[in-house]
Amino acid sequence: MKHSLIKNKKIAIIGGGPVGLTTARILQINGADVTVYERDLNAQARTSGGTLDIHLDSGQKAIEKAALMGEFYKYARPTGEKMTDLHGNITSTEMPDEENAYTRPEIDRNDLRKIMLENLNEHTVVWNSHLTHMEKTGAQYHLEFKNGTTAISDFVIVANGGRSNARKLVTDLEPQLSGTYIIQGEIADPDRDYPEFKPKYGNGNVMAMGEQKMFYTHTLRDGSVHFGVSFKADENWISNNGIDFEDLTAVRVFLNETFKNWSDDYKKFFNAATDFSGLPLRLFSLEDSWKEHSNITLVGDAAHLMPPFAGEGVNMGLFDTYHLTENLTNGKFATIDDAIKDYEEKMFGYALGAQHMTKKMEDLLHSDISSEDILNSRFEV
């Protein structure tokens, strides 16, 4: 009979994103007493953003370990990608063939969250739980939340993103600006507000590069479109160019001026958008080791935040889940700390490699080389 590290342990997961929820699901089906603390008000809070491409050799391993591949296939879909130039011309089309249809399928963020939530025990997720303070007393962690509640845990898995306030118990390092700024927009009804888009570009992803800028779109399962633009922006630009994203007119003026040399095809996105958001992109590098810690670890963006330009962020987070839960349940380790140490050694290797690849893509996508050259480079970095 193998030794169970999670038996009779109260496990707290901080953060109810894809990584935190998948971790909870795997531990729960292995008999763990696990609670997820999520800052969102309730399960109906919409997760903004585009689709996620979940890779066969990393992210899907965790979903398979969670015994939810059947549910995943109900929502995931093979998705093509068109490359375009500044004039809106389609320069290349990449479509997954039958053999590779589910090597990197796309799934909406909300759908992935829905799958996990529907397959957790009732009351696993405690909503409206914004962590404000956590400290270790003896062998246990004491957690305090903004709503005035508290909790005690024997083992903590920190999965609350790149700006995590719980990371400091594992490392004093902080994320650094990557040098790129992204502005995202949503078009709820593109058939009405931008009827020319889908007949020309279809329902797949669209990507364009030029003038050291990038433009992309994702079409969600309900037909709505998420788009984004990114450009180089140092700390001085960020501090000197505040944008009020509640002022749609001001955002459109800024984008139209920034992309003034680009086709009207792109400007129609700006004018049709019903919602904007923006943020400087950050990197939490794994170049430096973490300080000593016990019965606590980091997963996902909390562990290795990286910009989205290689599509590795969520996949590396789910890969964390796969390795960490395997170590906690396979009976090969004497203590939780032994399991954590082995997981972190593996994670520092594969996630650092993903960060290096992401940095190369970030530089390529915001350079002056052609779309065709960038498409080829995506398979060489």
Side-chain angles (χ1 to χ4, degrees):
M1 182 175 179
K2 65 184 182 181
H3 174 61
S4 174
L5 297 177
I6 57 178
K7 185 178 180 180
N8 301 323
K9 293 287 194 301
K10 288 184 65 66
I11 301 173
I13 297 176
I14 311 301
V19 175
L21 294 177
T22 306
T23 305
R25 162 69 181 179
I26 296 172
L27 292 177
Q28 201 165 76
I29 63 178
N30 281 277
D33 176 5
V34 58
T35 302
V36 178
Y37 298 96
E38 167 55 42
R39 66 184 296 170
D40 281 353
L41 185 61
N42 52 48
Q44 287 67 51
R46 182 178 183 275
T47 304
S48 62
T51 58
L52 301 169
D53 58 321
I54 308 299
H55 301 177
L56 180 66
D57 59 356
S58 53
Q60 290 184 44
K61 285 182 174 291
I63 296 173
E64 183 176 16
K65 193 171 180 61
L68 290 173
M69 287 302 292
E71 291 296 306
F72 175 72
Y73 285 138
K74 290 180 183 178
Y75 295 94
R77 54 204 181 271
T79 302
E81 183 171 84
K82 289 182 169 66
M83 304 287 288
T84 61
D85 61 19
L86 272 64
H87 309 292
N89 301 313
I90 299 171
T91 58
S92 65
T93 300
E94 179 189 349
M95 297 295 295
D97 57 29
E98 185 175 346
E99 182 180 355
N100 298 305
Y102 285 91
T103 300
R104 298 172 59 135
E106 305 267 356
I107 188 170
D108 293 6
R109 294 171 185 268
N110 285 305
D111 286 341
L112 185 56
R113 188 186 205 185
K114 176 176 180 287
I115 290 170
M116 294 303 162
L117 287 174
E118 289 180 347
N119 288 279
L120 290 170
N121 295 343
E122 191 175 6
H123 306 308
T124 297
V125 180
V126 182
W127 301 97
N128 190 29
S129 297
H130 180 187
L131 184 74
T132 56
H133 181 71
M134 180 169 62
E135 65 180 38
K136 191 176 185 186
T137 304
Q140 291 186 312
Y141 286 89
H142 290 246
L143 289 66
E144 299 177 8
F145 301 95
K146 190 175 182 179
N147 60 14
T149 63
T150 61
I152 296 174
S153 176
D154 300 308
F155 173 36
V156 177
I157 300 171
V158 179
N160 62 340
R163 305 301 297 274
S164 173
N165 58 351
R167 186 194 287 118
K168 61 186 178 183
L169 290 172
V170 177
T171 174
D172 294 323
L173 301 173
E174 292 291 338
Q176 302 298 313
L177 293 172
S178 78
T180 303
Y181 197 91
I182 189 167
I183 297 176
Q184 303 175 91
E186 309 283 342
I187 304 178
D189 189 350
D191 293 336
R192 179 193 65 201
D193 298 328
Y194 188 176
E196 306 93 338
F197 170 64
K198 289 185 181 178
K200 180 174 181 178
Y201 297 107
N203 288 309
N205 299 335
V206 177
M207 182 183 294
M209 287 77 65
E211 299 182 335
Q212 301 184 354
K213 306 179 187 77
M214 185 186 80
F215 173 93
Y216 71 87
T217 74
H218 295 163
T219 300
L220 278 66
R221 184 169 58 87
D222 65 2
S224 63
V225 170
H226 170 88
F227 70 90
V229 301
S230 56
F231 47 89
K232 288 294 185 182
D234 60 21
E235 190 171 2
N236 292 329
W237 184 93
I238 294 167
S239 60
N240 295 330
N241 292 270
I243 300 173
D244 180 4
F245 289 99
E246 297 297 320
D247 186 343
L248 300 186
T249 299
V251 179
R252 289 173 182 141
V253 168
F254 172 80
L255 289 174
N256 282 320
E257 175 61 25
T258 302
F259 287 80
K260 62 184 178 182
N261 297 325
W262 291 48
S263 163
D264 286 345
D265 281 13
Y266 304 106
K267 296 169 187 172
K268 288 176 182 177
F269 280 95
F270 310 150
N271 296 326
T274 53
D275 181 65
F276 288 108
S277 62
L279 71 160
L281 298 180
R282 290 181 167 85
L283 172 75
F284 182 63
S285 176
L286 294 174
E287 297 287 354
D288 298 306
S289 59
W290 295 345
K291 61 187 180 182
E292 290 293 322
H293 52 283
S294 177
N295 288 353
I296 185 171
T297 193
L298 313 179
V299 294
D301 284 350
H304 43 63
L305 177 67
M306 63 189 85
F309 301 114
E312 291 291 347
V314 70
N315 285 288
M316 291 299 95
L318 291 172
F319 211 32
D320 296 345
T321 290
Y322 171 79
H323 285 290
L324 176 61
T325 57
E326 175 65 18
N327 282 11
L328 292 170
T329 60
N330 63 15
K332 295 181 179 180
F333 297 92
T335 67
I336 287 178
D337 282 341
D338 289 339
I340 289 173
K341 181 180 179 181
D342 181 82
Y343 150 68
E344 290 178 354
E345 287 176 353
K346 292 173 182 172
M347 180 269 290
F348 265 71
Y350 61 72
L352 184 58
Q355 287 186 335
H356 289 163
M357 179 170 63
T358 296
K359 177 58 178 173
K360 290 179 180 179
M361 283 306 304
E362 182 175 16
D363 291 341
L364 278 169
L365 292 169
H366 301 90
S367 67
D368 290 319
I369 69 173
S370 70
S371 298
E372 291 81 358
D373 288 340
I374 289 179
L375 181 64
N376 293 331
S377 297
R378 293 174 67 192
F379 302 100
E380 297 171 358
V381 293

